Amino acid sequence: MFPFVLLPLIIFLSSVIAHEHQANRRLPSPTWHHSLDHSLSYLFRREDPDDDGVEYPDVGSPEWTSKYPNGPPNPTQMPSAWMNRLKAAVAAGKIPAIPVSSGPANTNPTYPPGHDPTSHEICSATYKCRIDGDIWDSPSNIFGLGFDDGPLPPSGKLYDFLMQNNEVATNFVIGLNIRQNPDMFLRAYREGHDLAVHTYTHPHMTTQTNEQVVAELGWSMQIIHDSAGGRVPKYWRPPYGDTDLRVSAIAREVFGLTCIIWNHDTEDWSLTSNGTTLQAIQNSMTQWLTGPKEPGLIILEHELSDQSVQAFLNAYPLIKSNGWTIKSVVQTANDTNPSPYHNAPNTLDGPVPVEDILPPQPQSKTSTSSTVSSTTSTDSHSSVLTASTITSSSPHASTTAAHANSAFSIGTHLIAAATWSSTGVVLTYFLLSCF
């Protein structure tokens, strides 16, 4: 009688675990901590919770929230490790001495007289200049799936749809939006979407000083790292597509970040201001999706509003019916290790050697620089954020997400030990055999 009483419970547990396995379909099983003498640890130190005795705050808790700026980050309050890397890169002549651009909000930034933004000395993406090696096309036949400006309340509808259709996207997230919408961020992370940097407060990056660029990128990376089990992003997208040789060099030399832009713009950011319509976007998508498949598509889309999410939902059947292969944007990168994270496990080569990505730095942290990335279009949507009081924070913040990730890691190893089927028959047989 006992096995017959146990059988319904076993089947129920099998379905629950199988669902969890599917929900976390892209999360790898190894832990994401790096050793304390690792190059990454100099920038984003993730303490060993078994050794340091620190209780890491839950994502979304007041203690967690207090660790991150509540507006544009103050460059004088960022971790010294970031500043040291910037100083080393400048001293080595790796950061071009390009003047900071300026201009009113919602307009393209301009450079001082005598500085041509399309010249080889500046190469501004806002003015369609393409930095050699930057990513703005997908490979042939590939639709690169990604969304800007999350996490936000409308993101939930998007994540529902992606889960239902077993699709994985790149979320180019804004650091302050993570701080303000932690539950939605955790959902993107736990459902296996790729996390990339979209700065902390969404400014035109060429209008920022060298130190401000570092702060905007660094704090976005820090809050992602602390809230997603220690992951360190290796891709970024500049707000409005605004970067130049100076900004891209800082992103690359200080943080090893590769830039991803786009080759088509839906302008869906302007749906809420009557700048475009759902029908106009559908017409453009029809043209692009029924056209040539060389090069592949990276289309600028947003999880900014219910309307922008709906624009993607409307176009999705066209993507599928026209034979496009859908991949997360960062998975389309021409990269020997296409993971979205510097410290991702590589099943062939082991952990990514970050020392081979980041440039030489003080304190005997050595590495070499990576290839710079690209840009050709501009995104003119306005920032959804407002400045407010800045809260100082420690670069050593972490979260209990690491513990949750470790627990899931154990679960996935157990799952791998059984051959899964929709009915859980194999697992049932294994457990019953124990009685």
Side-chain angles (χ1 to χ4, degrees), residues 195-269:
L195 305 172
V197 172
H198 199 41
T199 74
Y200 197 80
T201 60
H202 204 274
H204 281 89
M205 289 294 275
T206 64
T207 68
Q208 306 291 289
T209 66
N210 289 358
E211 293 76 15
Q212 288 173 322
V213 169
V214 170
E216 282 285 343
L217 296 173
W219 281 115
S220 183
M221 296 180 75
Q222 185 75 62
I223 196 170
I224 292 171
H225 166 269
D226 294 349
S227 308
R231 288 159 174 77
V232 180
K234 69 174 182 178
Y235 294 96
W236 79 294
R237 173 172 282 172
Y240 316 100
D242 182 49
T243 187
D244 59 19
L245 288 172
R246 176 182 68 93
V247 173
S248 287
I250 293 172
R252 178 182 73 252
E253 299 297 336
V254 176
F255 296 114
L257 288 170
T258 294
C259 179
I260 299 179
I261 311 292
W262 54 84
N263 54 21
H264 292 289
D265 184 354
T266 62
E267 300 188 2
D268 63 351
W269 52 268

Side-chain angles (χ1 to χ4, degrees), residues 247-424:
V247 173
S248 287
I250 293 172
R252 178 182 73 252
E253 299 297 336
V254 176
F255 296 114
L257 288 170
T258 294
C259 179
I260 299 179
I261 311 292
W262 54 84
N263 54 21
H264 292 289
D265 184 354
T266 62
E267 300 188 2
D268 63 351
W269 52 268
S270 67
L271 280 164
T272 55
S273 59
N274 299 319
T276 189
T277 65
L278 287 172
Q279 187 58 56
I281 293 175
Q282 187 72 353
N283 293 342
S284 295
M285 292 290 263
T286 299
Q287 178 183 350
W288 302 330
L289 293 167
T290 58
K293 289 187 169 63
E294 170 65 39
L297 295 174
I298 299 179
I299 298 177
L300 180 62
E301 299 180 270
H302 295 79
E303 50 191 288
L304 186 60
S305 67
D306 288 334
Q307 295 95 316
S308 63
V309 171
Q310 188 61 49
F312 167 70
L313 269 57
N314 292 346
Y316 183 78
L318 282 174
I319 303 173
K320 301 296 288 185
S321 63
N322 283 281
W324 291 90
T325 298
I326 301 176
K327 290 186 177 182
S328 163
V329 170
V330 301
Q331 300 300 318
T332 72
N334 183 17
D335 192 334
T336 55
N337 180 34
S339 167
Y341 310 109
H342 279 312
N343 53 342
N346 184 314
T347 55
L348 296 178
D349 304 317
V352 176
V354 178
E355 289 79 2
D356 293 338
I357 298 174
L358 299 176
Q361 297 299 333
Q363 300 187 6
S364 301
K365 303 294 181 180
T366 59
S367 57
T368 58
S369 62
S370 67
T371 305
V372 77
S373 5
S374 87
T375 170
T376 59
S377 303
T378 60
D379 168 12
S380 55
H381 70 283
S382 60
S383 173
V384 297
L385 307 171
T386 57
S388 55
T389 306
I390 296 175
T391 304
S392 179
S393 98
S394 163
H396 306 311
S398 296
T399 73
T400 53
H403 300 287
N405 193 52
S406 296
F408 172 71
S409 175
I410 295 172
T412 52
H413 283 303
L414 290 174
I415 292 169
T419 302
W420 282 103
S421 67
S422 60
T423 60

